[in-house]
Amino acid sequence: MAPTMTETAFVPRVDEEDLLRMMEEVASYGATADEGTHRLTLSVEDKLARDWFVRRAESEGAKLRVDRAGNMFAVFDWAGPDAPTIMTGSHLDSQPNGGRFDGALGVVTGWAAASALEKARLETGVVPKANLTVVNWTNEEGARFQPSLLGSGFHAGVHDADFVLSRRDGDGVTVAEALGAIGYAGSDEVPLADALIELHIEGAEGLERTGRRFGVFTRFWGAVKYRLAFIGRQAHTGPTPMADRRDALLAAGHVVVGLREMADRGGLDLHTSAGRLEVRPNSPNVVPGEAVLFIELRSAVPEILASAERELNERIAAAAKSARVEFEIRSIDRRAAGSMDPRLVQLAVEAGAAIGTETMKLDTVAGHDAISLASRIPVVVVVVPSVAGVIHHPSEFTSVEDRLIGARALTEMLRRLCFEDGFPRGETGT
Amino acid sequence: MAPTMTETAFVPRVDEEDLLRMMEEVASYGATADEGTHRLTLSVEDKLARDWFVRRAESEGAKLRVDRAGNMFAVFDWAGPDAPTIMTGSHLDSQPNGGRFDGALGVVTGWAAASALEKARLETGVVPKANLTVVNWTNEEGARFQPSLLGSGFHAGVHDADFVLSRRDGDGVTVAEALGAIGYAGSDEVPLADALIELHIEGAEGLERTGRRFGVFTRFWGAVKYRLAFIGRQAHTGPTPMADRRDALLAAGHVVVGLREMADRGGLDLHTSAGRLEVRPNSPNVVPGEAVLFIELRSAVPEILASAERELNERIAAAAKSARVEFEIRSIDRRAAGSMDPRLVQLAVEAGAAIGTETMKLDTVAGHDAISLASRIPVVVVVVPSVAGVIHHPSEFTSVEDRLIGARALTEMLRRLCFEDGFPRGETGT
């Protein structure tokens, strides 16, 4: 399309130093000795990161909204209540002893893009066609509270407030109590946006192995997550005859081994895992009376996922029988496989081209907050490389250059949505 | 032998009400809602039980000694420094959410016997031939700190003070710090006794199934305990390709399953267990980077134990290879199988007869503080029934009648040792 006077003048520029500084500041909240991040959702460290988000919103002149799940929204009310709202951002919580970039980079680049756009708007006087919101979702990781994607699930209407607020961590603390303790128990009702773009680190080697610097997820894998309890009987590991034992950990061991067998047989289309195991009373000389296992099955193919879930149930029953214990499936979370909005995918490709990089199309196996909202609004997740595909580990790293590429591409996508064509009411121009 | 004037007059009587009250008082420290006990060693609850022990010693006129391991000795210095010392007692620490009787009953009956003997001594003026010490050992259970039998192992010279004081719990707190925090960091040097009698609950159904009320352990099983760490690499459970995972929990799962296979093949002469498993970071969507497994092998037969240990090592290596992880055996504790002192076994049999009960000879699979000292001094463990053989569970129960039988038999054993023949310098008369 032919450039207009306004477009010629309106050139948002990402402030490289600010981008670097923001990343370092956020990484300082919950920094670990090995350059990782330990910033569990709604912890003291998370409060510090949230306070930073508030200060940033204030200094940028955005209005802060905090909803009942503690999700934080910094709203640039550029175009008025009748105009669409474009949302970007990610999450500031981390895994236990996790990395600096997972989630945080999406929030930081969201701010970098918003600041670049706001500065250009103020300098040019151009009137945007959409409003912009930078978001920080609560408990994306699902490390402290389950399920993961809790805040975005609330925003999407998947979970109601009672459900969210009553989730308990391993110490029995509820989300409501944790929100209150750090001063982020909000009550704002925040309407759904008209589009959501989340920037994230890739967490695999798709970009790195092909030498690309920017990507867009086109499909997301489905997931089935079980919280499974085996209930045996605690007893002395010495005198109790082997035949009398009801060993909850033994049953869990069978399932852990079985999950891997399923994946090995399932080929590349099935991922299985048991990431968390709680053993009680967890004393060296007590036969475990309870073992709670957190299981995940993931696939892009619904039939494979359903078949794996059936096999999992058979294996659970067999493991319980073999160890002479009972079992309870305490929760099941299912996330359907699906696709990102094709217009937003195309927008990512064009934005990449506009800043001089090739956009690689990829699948995502991991969950993302944007995926929580995929059934409600147009969403897309764009990615930059993480070195060696590392994620959920202290050594997570995204180069300064790749952070900047991500911020520039995101800025360009938001520029087109907020200042050019509007989305999705108008044509996106893509 | 013919009774003398002195023996006729000297009739120690166990105070039944006092015995009941003591048991209830001790059970109140760390009482759980389900009538169990949660009194981890050197915890606040353990401090309360220790304070009770101090008050009891004061009210009985015994001298209190606390050594560097925090072991507590209440000394009745009846016969002077040149006379032998007979020791009795057990431990006041419990398993997490454990029972009321394991350990505590041995301390309480020790006090019941000591008080009966002291009262009779004061009333008759009979001069004892030996001194008596009531003991409370630190960290018998091995739940908070490893290894178990820590305090008695220090007293036996198996562990030096530096080793004991530097043990760390799961939160990184050392024994030295924990002792200091509750005010039981002692410095007394307490010499070895000349004999040790420990009363305990049986923890199996040997007595109950045969209708007996009192027993004596003649042999103790050997044990090999491994603290084994698998070290993988933490990674996202979603995108990380299965083939790239280095899953520490998977390796642990193989070993847990394998341990049971070993026991199933090993017949009645081998007990195996994995009671504790620490998973890090233990988040539902992170491939575990570390899994620390606490393994026990137990047998009365040294060859079976040695063979099982060899097989365990093969299985550990195979599990690590299969899961593509490293492993470290972080500690090994070995306790040899052995026998109790035959003279003390015979004394138990005769004391049982004297109070009108039959004494059953049994093996013990579990460790006991007395076993720590078996290579240094004559020791024996006598037992009363626990209903259904339950131990290390909140429902542990020993009837009031059986508690009294135990206390009376123990009193009779101590009477013979301290007031009749002396032991072991004189003949025991058995």
Side-chain angles (χ1 to χ4, degrees):
Chain A
M1 73 197 70
T4 66
M5 283 299 291
T6 302
E7 284 171 348
T8 304
F10 189 82
V11 183
R13 294 187 192 282
V14 171
D15 182 335
E16 297 181 36
E17 279 183 27
D18 181 45
L19 177 62
L20 199 64
R21 199 165 45 234
M22 276 197 284
M23 198 62 231
E24 286 181 0
E25 189 161 355
V26 172
S28 74
Y29 308 128
T32 62
D34 52 1
E35 301 202 324
T37 296
H38 187 84
R39 193 165 60 229
L40 298 186
T41 194
L42 310 186
S43 63
V44 173
E45 293 79 15
D46 188 33
K47 177 193 187 304
L48 295 175
R50 285 167 173 265
D51 292 348
W52 166 85
F53 189 98
V54 171
R55 291 195 303 274
R56 183 81 192 190
E58 284 170 354
S59 72
E60 294 289 334
K63 289 178 198 158
L64 189 75
R65 301 272 182 273
V66 179
D67 69 12
R68 294 192 66 191
N71 295 316
M72 301 173 71
F73 304 86
V75 181
F76 291 87
D77 196 8
W78 289 329
D82 295 334
T85 292
I86 309 302
M87 193 179 281
T88 191
S90 188
H91 59 94
L92 290 171
D93 69 324
S94 87
Q95 287 289 334
N97 198 30
R100 283 169 288 166
F101 295 92
D102 177 358
L105 186 63
V107 176
V108 162
T109 51
W111 275 117
S115 298
L117 293 167
E118 172 67 349
K119 188 158 178 252
R121 183 187 72 89
L122 292 171
E123 286 173 359
T124 61
V126 170
V127 179
K129 295 173 178 170
N131 305 299
L132 179 66
T133 295
V134 182
V135 63
N136 168 37
W137 303 108
T138 297
N139 192 47
E140 191 267 356
E141 294 291 3
R144 180 174 177 189
F145 301 100
Q146 290 77 43
S148 59
L149 309 179
L150 189 66
S152 51
F154 170 75
H155 189 68
V158 176
H159 311 305
D160 64 21
D162 287 347
F163 176 83
V164 170
L165 294 172
S166 62
R167 296 307 89 202
R168 288 183 191 277
D169 69 10
D171 295 326
V173 178
T174 63
V175 167
E177 291 162 354
L179 280 169
I182 63 165
Y184 280 92
S187 59
D188 292 326
E189 304 211 355
V190 178
L192 285 172
D194 295 272
L196 170 61
I197 304 173
E198 179 172 1
L199 181 140
H200 209 272
I201 59 171
E202 186 195 355
E205 296 178 272
L207 293 173
E208 192 175 83
R209 284 185 178 155
T210 56
R212 316 290 173 86
R213 319 289 292 271
F214 183 65
V216 60
F217 290 145
T218 58
R219 297 193 313 170
F220 45 88
W221 282 33
V224 176
K225 304 188 180 191
Y226 273 44
R227 189 158 57 91
L228 165 70
F230 288 111
I231 299 110
R233 183 171 174 83
Q234 79 182 57
H236 198 304
T237 54
T240 312
M242 294 303 296
D244 291 350
R245 299 187 186 197
R246 299 170 179 276
D247 184 342
L249 178 56
L250 174 60
H254 280 296
V255 172
V256 167
V257 170
L259 280 165
R260 180 70 203 204
E261 290 171 4
M262 288 166 60
D264 287 344
R265 275 208 337 271
L268 296 177
D269 291 328
L270 178 65
H271 285 187
T272 66
S273 62
R276 182 177 173 101
L277 176 56
E278 299 167 353
V279 181
R280 296 187 183 92
N282 213 27
S283 179
N285 48 8
V286 180
V287 176
E290 187 178 73
V292 181
L293 195 61
F294 293 67
I295 295 166
E296 295 180 358
L297 309 172
R298 300 177 189 249
S299 180
V301 185
E303 292 73 24
I304 290 177
L305 203 54
S307 164
E309 188 176 355
R310 282 193 298 274
E311 180 172 347
L312 173 65
N313 277 282
E314 291 164 9
R315 286 182 180 267
I316 290 169
K321 191 175 176 192
S322 161
R324 301 177 65 244
V325 301
E326 306 295 317
F327 70 91
E328 292 171 9
I329 297 171
R330 294 200 171 152
S331 72
I332 302 179
D333 296 312
R334 291 194 183 85
R335 187 168 70 225
S339 295
M340 304 291 180
D341 185 85
R343 296 166 300 174
L344 291 176
V345 169
Q346 182 59 21
L347 178 64
V349 171
E350 297 194 4
I355 67 156
T357 194
E358 188 183 351
T359 306
M360 183 174 187
K361 291 182 179 178
L362 295 157
D363 275 5
T364 176
V365 183
H368 291 286
D369 287 311
I371 297 173
S372 286
L373 289 149
S375 64
R376 304 296 307 278
I377 60 172
V379 304
V380 77
V381 178
V382 293
V383 287
V384 290
S386 53
V387 172
V390 169
I391 186 170
H392 286 190
H393 188 279
S395 66
E396 246 177 47
F397 188 71
T398 295
S399 71
V400 174
E401 293 76 14
D402 288 343
R403 292 177 223 170
L404 190 59
I405 288 170
R408 284 183 178 149
L410 179 64
T411 303
E412 176 62 12
M413 290 176 78
L414 295 173
R415 185 191 69 78
R416 292 183 181 213
L417 289 173
C418 295
F419 289 83
E420 245 183 31
D421 310 296
F423 178 84
R425 297 182 191 183
E427 291 292 310
T428 61
T430 60
Chain B
M1 74 198 76
T4 65
M5 287 294 291
T6 303
E7 284 172 347
T8 304
F10 189 84
V11 184
R13 293 184 193 284
V14 172
D15 182 335
E16 298 181 36
E17 279 184 25
D18 180 45
L19 177 62
L20 201 62
R21 202 167 42 236
M22 276 196 285
M23 196 62 231
E24 285 181 359
E25 189 160 353
V26 172
S28 73
Y29 308 127
T32 62
D34 52 2
E35 301 201 325
T37 296
H38 187 86
R39 194 167 58 230
L40 298 186
T41 196
L42 310 186
S43 64
V44 173
E45 294 79 14
D46 188 33
K47 177 193 188 304
L48 295 175
R50 286 168 172 264
D51 292 348
W52 166 86
F53 189 98
V54 171
R55 291 196 302 275
R56 184 81 191 188
E58 284 170 354
S59 71
E60 294 288 335
K63 288 179 198 157
L64 189 75
R65 301 272 182 275
V66 179
D67 70 10
R68 294 192 65 190
N71 296 316
M72 302 173 70
F73 304 87
V75 181
F76 291 89
D77 196 6
W78 289 330
D82 294 334
T85 292
I86 310 301
M87 194 179 280
T88 191
S90 188
H91 60 94
L92 290 172
D93 70 323
S94 87
Q95 287 289 334
N97 199 28
R100 282 169 290 164
F101 295 93
D102 177 357
L105 187 63
V107 176
V108 162
T109 53
W111 275 116
S115 298
L117 293 166
E118 172 69 348
K119 189 159 178 252
R121 185 187 73 88
L122 292 171
E123 286 172 358
T124 60
V126 170
V127 177
K129 294 174 179 169
N131 304 300
L132 179 65
T133 295
V134 182
V135 64
N136 168 37
W137 303 109
T138 296
N139 193 47
E140 191 269 355
E141 295 290 3
R144 180 174 177 190
F145 299 101
Q146 288 78 42
S148 60
L149 310 179
L150 189 66
S152 51
F154 170 74
H155 190 67
V158 177
H159 311 306
D160 63 21
D162 286 347
F163 176 83
V164 170
L165 294 172
S166 62
R167 296 306 89 200
R168 287 182 192 277
D169 68 10
D171 296 325
V173 178
T174 64
V175 167
E177 290 163 352
L179 281 168
I182 63 166
Y184 281 92
S187 59
D188 292 326
E189 303 213 352
V190 178
L192 286 172
D194 295 273
L196 171 60
I197 304 173
E198 179 171 1
L199 183 140
H200 209 271
I201 58 171
E202 187 195 354
E205 295 179 273
L207 293 172
E208 191 174 84
R209 283 183 180 157
T210 57
R212 317 291 172 84
R213 319 290 290 272
F214 183 64
V216 60
F217 289 145
T218 58
R219 298 192 313 169
F220 44 87
W221 282 33
V224 176
K225 303 188 180 189
Y226 274 44
R227 189 157 60 88
L228 165 70
F230 288 111
I231 300 108
R233 184 173 174 82
Q234 78 182 57
H236 198 303
T237 55
T240 312
M242 294 304 295
D244 291 349
R245 298 188 187 199
R246 299 171 177 275
D247 183 343
L249 178 56
L250 174 61
H254 279 296
V255 171
V256 167
V257 170
L259 280 165
R260 179 73 203 200
E261 289 172 4
M262 288 167 60
D264 288 345
R265 273 209 337 270
L268 296 177
D269 291 328
L270 178 65
H271 285 186
T272 66
S273 62
R276 182 176 173 102
L277 176 57
E278 300 166 352
V279 181
R280 297 188 182 90
N282 214 26
S283 180
N285 48 8
V286 180
V287 175
E290 186 179 73
V292 181
L293 194 62
F294 292 66
I295 296 166
E296 295 179 357
L297 310 172
R298 299 178 191 248
S299 180
V301 185
E303 292 72 24
I304 290 177
L305 203 54
S307 163
E309 189 177 352
R310 281 192 299 274
E311 180 171 347
L312 173 64
N313 276 283
E314 290 163 10
R315 285 183 181 268
I316 290 169
K321 190 175 175 191
S322 161
R324 301 177 66 243
V325 300
E326 306 294 316
F327 70 91
E328 292 171 9
I329 297 171
R330 294 200 172 155
S331 73
I332 302 179
D333 296 311
R334 292 194 182 86
R335 189 168 69 226
S339 295
M340 304 292 181
D341 185 83
R343 296 165 301 172
L344 292 175
V345 169
Q346 182 57 24
L347 178 65
V349 171
E350 297 193 4
I355 67 156
T357 194
E358 189 183 350
T359 306
M360 184 174 186
K361 291 183 179 175
L362 295 157
D363 277 5
T364 176
V365 182
H368 292 287
D369 287 310
I371 296 172
S372 286
L373 288 149
S375 64
R376 304 296 307 277
I377 59 172
V379 304
V380 76
V381 178
V382 294
V383 286
V384 289
S386 54
V387 171
V390 169
I391 186 169
H392 286 189
H393 188 277
S395 66
E396 243 176 48
F397 187 70
T398 295
S399 73
V400 174
E401 294 76 14
D402 289 344
R403 291 177 224 171
L404 190 59
I405 288 170
R408 285 185 177 146
L410 179 63
T411 304
E412 177 61 12
M413 290 176 78
L414 296 172
R415 185 192 69 77
R416 294 184 180 215
L417 288 173
C418 294
F419 288 84
E420 250 183 29
D421 307 294
F423 180 85
R425 296 184 191 180
E427 292 292 309
T428 61
T430 59

